Amino acid sequence: MTKNAIVLGAGIVGVSTAIHLQRRGRQVTLIDRKDPGSETSFGNAGLIQREGVAPYGFPQQLGLLLRYALNNRIDAHYHLRTLPSQIAFLARYWWNSDARRHAIITRAYAPLIENSIVEHKDLIEASQAEGLIRKDGWMKIFRTEAKRDGALAEAALWQNEFGVEYDSLTPADIARMEPHMTGDFAGGIHWRDPWSVLDPHALTSAYRRYFESLGGRFVTGDAASLGPFGSGWKIMTAEGPLEAEDAVLALGPWAAVATRRLGYSFPLGVKRGYHMHYATEGNAVLNNWTLDAERGYLLAPMNRGIRLTTGAEFATLDAPKTPVQLDRAEAVARTIFPLGGRLDPEPWMGARPCTPDMMPIIGKAPRHQGLWFAFGHAHHGLTLGPVTGRVLAEVITGETPFIDIAAYSPQRFNP
């Protein structure tokens, strides 16, 4: 008899997990309050970051921390009134970002990143979404020689240990690659391996259609109604109650609330981020996804226009929008590239779900049968959706997982 499974959360992680379970003979229902890919997966930078073997750490240098405390930067912003409630999470994040501990975490994290391109390639081809993909990497540009040299030294280490490929860029290289960009840049890095996505929401939608072509279905429902039922799980949906042997929680930044109802306590924080699309002036063209590394914003040439994305905002999940980073970033970006008018009626905002050890939570719930977790991917949700979906589906269906996921176990927070 075919076993039923429900996947809660229709972002890139949830949709990918639903595909891999459906492929393995489960009858899967994907459930969300909104259409697939409408939340965090909608607004990312559109990069499948094969180079991103080292997760984003918390600054360690006292001088830099003092500059962040001024709260006037593009790459980070915080809400003062909510900071006390986040101190415990930030303290653990800072502690894990120490150079020695961060190196250990990087080696545990790398297998996910190393398989990100090949697992996306599988789903891109299956969903006939090749037209949404570019395979020419992206670049990071620097304004000072010190920052450039430090980044190049780190890139060399990653190349030696993890096989990451890159080119060192001179100012002349940047001018050649981006003839409409101006600025006194000291050089940069061109990451060769990553792929970029011209419309992240369209990619998730393509994966959703492929999932449905396999016999899976999507229905609207609320994760708050999920509960144990017999030997499995039950949830209310727009089509009535639904029962299944297995339930996967892939709820991104809302996972902490959903798991708390079931008796778990995960130290899940959020880094909120903003984006806006712009036209270009005249015949200006942006050729590459480009990070202005020392200012902390990224410009991406997407189908909807030039997408400008900001760094991290530390605030509660439900706090009102405060897109001050976007305004700061736009002012700087206009000095290096001829952006035209804004194309969106208002700034988009999303929230990245983060753990204090910078690794996702993937695996079986410690105290429930048939309950599985897949969340906490921070800045790499788009990158890691398909690899997470495959490895978790393998575990759920009793296969030998193709990579070891012990380091991502929920038990490290809920023994």
Side-chain angles (χ1 to χ4, degrees), residues 189-210:
I189 296 175
H190 174 235
W191 300 109
R192 298 182 204 162
D193 302 311
W195 290 3
S196 47
V197 184
L198 293 166
D199 187 335
H201 179 249
L203 184 67
T204 304
S205 297
Y207 287 3
R208 176 255 183 102
R209 291 191 295 273
Y210 170 59

Side-chain angles (χ1 to χ4, degrees), residues 324-349:
V324 295
Q325 291 162 285
L326 184 66
D327 295 335
R328 295 167 186 163
E330 179 182 323
V332 177
R334 289 187 181 280
T335 68
I336 71 166
F337 186 82
L339 292 176
R342 290 186 171 192
L343 299 178
D344 302 324
E346 62 177 316
W348 178 90
M349 184 194 75

Side-chain angles (χ1 to χ4, degrees), residues 7 56 62 68 113 134 201 248 291 331 340 354:
V7 177
Y56 292 93
L62 179 59
Y68 279 119
I113 293 291
R134 283 178 44 179
H201 179 249
V248 178
L291 177 68
C354 306

Side-chain angles (χ1 to χ4, degrees), residues 14 68 76 88 107 109 123 169 177 193 229 255 265 271 274 281 309 332 350 361 381:
Y68 279 119
R107 284 189 286 272
Y109 185 70
L123 300 192
L169 301 178
M177 296 170 71
D193 302 311
F229 184 79
S265 179
K271 294 182 187 178
Y274 298 84
E281 293 184 350
T309 69
V332 177
I361 295 168

Side-chain angles (χ1 to χ4, degrees), residues 12 40-47 197 200 275 302 307 309 348 379 382:
I12 191 69
T40 307
S41 294
F42 183 91
N44 53 68
L47 288 170
V197 184
H275 84 225
M302 294 192 176
R307 179 177 289 190
T309 69
W348 178 90
H379 295 261
L382 172 64

